Amino acid sequence: MIRQPIRIIRKRKTREEILELSTPLFARHGYDGVSMRDIAAAVGLTQAALYYHFADKNQLYLDAVAYEFRERVAALKDMLAGNGTPWKRLECFVAGLARMMASDKDFLRLVQWVLLDTNEARQSTLAKQVFRDMFVAVHDLASELDPHVDAHLLAMSIFGLVIFHFQAGATRKFMPGRRPQQDNPEVLARHVCDLLRGRLASADGEAR
Amino acid sequence: MIRQPIRIIRKRKTREEILELSTPLFARHGYDGVSMRDIAAAVGLTQAALYYHFADKNQLYLDAVAYEFRERVAALKDMLAGNGTPWKRLECFVAGLARMMASDKDFLRLVQWVLLDTNEARQSTLAKQVFRDMFVAVHDLASELDPHVDAHLLAMSIFGLVIFHFQAGATRKFMPGRRPQQDNPEVLARHVCDLLRGRLASADGEAR
DNA sequence: GTCTATACGACGATAGAC
DNA sequence: GTCTATCGTCGTATAGAC
C-alpha cells in the first residue's frame, strides 16, 4: 500500500517519456524535420514501438505539443490572475512571458512552428487547445488598460512585442546596436512596458 | 539590334523561372517540406534538370530566398528614405510594411522560415544579405524618434508589432474580439503608430 | 539544357514473433 | 509492450544519351 504509489511515481509511463523527449526534437527541427526513427532513438525504443502508443506521427506531434504547452500556459495565466492594478498585472505578465521565452527556447520555437503550420486541422486544434485561454486573459486585461482601444489588437501587440524579440534572437546577432543586456528578459520587459505606457520621450514634442 | 533585347525580355531564363516558382513552395512548406521533385513539377522540368542550374537543394533555396527578398527590401528602404519628420517617416514605413505583409503572404512566411532556421550558415547568410540593410534603416529612424531610448530594441519592437500581427493571422481567427477590419493593413498601421506615440488613453490616468 | 535511368538511403507504417 | 523484418514510397543526387 505504500510501495505501489512510489513505484508509479518513480517509473514513468513510456507514453509520457515519448512525449517529453520528442518535444525538443520537434521544437528544433519541426514536424517534417523529425522522423519516427529520430524519436525512437531519443527514447531508446525501436521505431515500431511508437506505433503501439500513438496512431501515427501526426497524433504523436499533436499530443507532444499539447503536453508541452499545458503547464506553461497555466503558469502564464497565473501571472495574469493577481489583483493589483491593470498596469501592475501587465508588468507582471510581460516580465513573466519574457522570462519564459528567454529560458525556454523549445517553447518559443514550438509557438513559431504552430503559427507556420499549413495543416489546418493541426493548427486549429492547437490554437483552440493551447493559445485561446492565454489570449483571452490578455485580451481582458487589454480592455481594462484602455476601454477605448481595440482589445484584440492591443493583446496581439503585447504578445508580439515580447515574442518577436526572442524570435529574432539569432538574427539579432548580426544587427547594429546589439548589446548583451538586451538578452536580459528584465531589460526587455521594462522596454516593452515603457513603450506601452507611452513613454517614448519625443512622442509629444513633435509636430502633430 | 532591336530583336535581341525583346527576345531576352520575353523568354526568361530557366534559372530565374526556377527561382520564381520555387519561392511560393518554400514559403508554404519550408525547406524540408519541399522536394526537388515538387519544384521540378512546378517549373515543368524533370528533377535532374535542376542540378544543371544549381549545385544542390541548399543552394537553390538560398538563391530563391535572396531573389525573393531583394526587391521587397529595396521597396521598404525607399519608404524610409523620405525627408519628412521622423514620425511622418515612421507612419509611412509602418503602413508600407503592413501593406506588404498583408498582400504578400509568401514574403511573410519566408521571413518566419528564416527566423526558425537552425542551419547556422544559412541563417547568417540570409540575415546579413537580406535583413541587415532593412534593420539598419529602421534602427537609424528609431534613434531619431527618441535619442534616449535603446534604438536596437525600439527598431525590433516596430518590426515585431507589425510582423507578429500577420504571423498570428491564421490563429487569430479563433481568438475573441476578432473583427474583419483588423485585417486591413491601414487599421493595423494606425493602431501601431498610436501605440508608439503613447496614445493609450489611460496610460497617464493610472496610479504611477 | 534537358532527358531517361538508376543508385541508394530514409521515410511512415504494418505483420507477426516473443 | 517491444522486438525484428519488411513493404512500398519518396528523398537527393549522379551518369550518360540526345
Side-chain angles (χ1 to χ4, degrees), chain A residues 101 105 108-109 112 162-175 178 182-183, chain B residues 114-116 123 127 152 156:
Chain A
M101 291 298 169
K105 307 275 190 220
L108 169 63
R109 291 182 63 90
Q112 293 179 262
V162 178
I163 294 178
F164 188 81
H165 178 87
F166 292 102
Q167 270 185 41
T171 57
R172 270 177 43 235
K173 289 197 186 66
F174 307 102
M175 304 299 152
R178 174 87 192 308
Q182 288 152 355
D183 291 333
Chain B
V114 173
L115 293 180
L116 259 174
Q123 192 172 58
H152 180 93
M156 207 54 81

Side-chain angles (χ1 to χ4, degrees), chain A residues 47-163:
Chain A
Q47 179 238 116
L50 299 175
Y51 287 88
Y52 174 80
H53 300 279
F54 303 91
D56 53 25
K57 184 186 176 184
N58 192 63
Q59 195 57 54
L60 196 166
Y61 173 78
L62 230 42
D63 289 354
V65 174
Y67 181 87
E68 179 79 2
F69 274 44
R70 202 89 56 190
E71 59 187 40
R72 331 263 161 185
V73 170
L76 289 171
K77 279 175 68 182
D78 279 352
M79 292 168 197
L80 284 155
N83 51 7
T85 67
W87 284 101
K88 266 284 169 238
R89 275 184 288 145
L90 176 73
E91 275 174 30
C92 180
F93 173 75
V94 166
L97 182 62
R99 268 195 300 272
M100 189 178 287
M101 291 298 169
S103 66
D104 192 346
K105 307 275 190 220
D106 286 348
F107 179 60
L108 169 63
R109 291 182 63 90
L110 281 179
V111 171
Q112 293 179 262
W113 286 115
V114 173
L115 294 180
L116 259 174
D117 204 337
T118 42
N119 182 319
E120 287 203 27
R122 235 166 23 209
Q123 193 172 58
S124 81
T125 299
L126 292 171
K128 289 180 216 161
Q129 259 186 26
V130 143
F131 288 157
R132 209 190 132 88
D133 269 9
M134 195 167 56
F135 184 86
V136 168
V138 177
H139 177 271
D140 292 348
L141 175 60
S143 58
E144 277 192 80
L145 286 172
D146 183 347
H148 304 96
V149 88
D150 183 326
H152 181 93
L153 288 181
L154 180 53
M156 207 53 82
S157 294
I158 293 168
F159 280 111
L161 281 168
V162 178
I163 294 178

Side-chain angles (χ1 to χ4, degrees), chain B residues 85 132 142:
Chain B
T85 67
R132 209 189 131 88

Side-chain angles (χ1 to χ4, degrees), chain B residues 5 7 12 15 17 25 37 40-41 51 54 64 74 77 92 118 126 134 138 141 150 158 163 166 170 192:
Chain B
R7 213 188 280 129
R12 258 229 304 314
R15 193 190 139 87
E17 208 150 47
L25 294 176
R37 284 172 166 91
Y51 286 87
F54 302 92
K77 279 174 68 182
C92 179
T118 42
L126 291 172
M134 195 167 57
V138 177
L141 174 60
D150 184 326
I158 293 168
I163 294 177
F166 291 102
V192 169

Side-chain angles (χ1 to χ4, degrees), chain B:
Chain B
M1 264 186 132
I2 290 175
R3 297 274 269 302
Q4 188 67 333
I6 290 174
R7 213 188 280 129
I8 285 172
I9 290 168
R10 299 202 54 187
K11 170 157 182 15
R12 258 229 304 314
K13 284 177 174 146
T14 305
R15 193 190 139 87
E16 271 184 48
E17 208 150 47
I18 296 170
L19 292 175
E20 222 150 87
L21 294 171
S22 63
T23 30
L25 294 176
F26 283 127
R28 267 188 264 284
H29 306 109
Y31 184 83
D32 289 328
V34 176
S35 69
M36 294 298 264
R37 284 172 166 91
D38 293 336
I39 296 167
V43 184
L45 291 174
T46 55
Q47 179 237 114
L50 299 175
Y51 286 87
Y52 174 81
H53 299 278
F54 302 92
D56 54 24
K57 184 186 175 184
N58 192 62
Q59 195 58 54
L60 196 165
Y61 173 77
L62 229 42
D63 289 354
V65 175
Y67 181 87
E68 179 79 0
F69 275 44
R70 202 89 57 191
E71 59 187 38
R72 330 265 161 184
V73 170
L76 289 171
K77 279 174 68 182
D78 279 352
M79 292 169 197
L80 284 155
N83 50 8
T85 67
W87 284 102
K88 266 281 170 243
R89 275 183 289 145
L90 176 73
E91 274 173 32
C92 179
F93 173 75
V94 167
L97 182 62
R99 267 195 300 273
M100 189 178 286
M101 292 298 168
S103 66
D104 191 347
K105 307 275 190 220
D106 286 348
F107 178 59
L108 169 64
R109 291 183 63 90
L110 281 179
V111 171
Q112 292 179 262
W113 286 114
V114 173
L115 293 180
L116 259 174
D117 203 337
T118 42
N119 181 319
E120 287 203 27
R122 237 167 22 210
Q123 192 172 58
S124 81
T125 300
L126 291 172
K128 290 179 215 161
Q129 259 186 27
V130 142
F131 288 157
R132 209 189 131 88
D133 269 10
M134 195 167 57
F135 184 86
V136 169
V138 177
H139 177 272
D140 293 347
L141 174 60
S143 58
E144 277 191 81
L145 286 173
D146 183 346
H148 303 96
V149 89
D150 184 326
H152 180 93
L153 287 181
L154 180 53
M156 207 54 81
S157 294
I158 293 168
F159 280 110
L161 281 168
V162 178
I163 294 177
F164 188 81
H165 178 87
F166 291 102
Q167 271 186 39
T171 57
R172 271 176 43 235
K173 290 196 186 67
F174 307 102
M175 303 300 151
R178 175 89 193 308
R179 285 177 300 158
Q181 65 258 41
Q182 288 151 355
D183 291 333
N184 181 341
E186 318 295 338
V187 170
L188 176 73
R190 167 171 287 271
H191 166 81
V192 169
C193 289
D194 282 354
L195 197 157
L196 287 168
R197 295 199 82 152
R199 294 213 191 105
L200 291 191
S202 55
D204 297 319
E206 192 69 42
R208 187 231 179 283

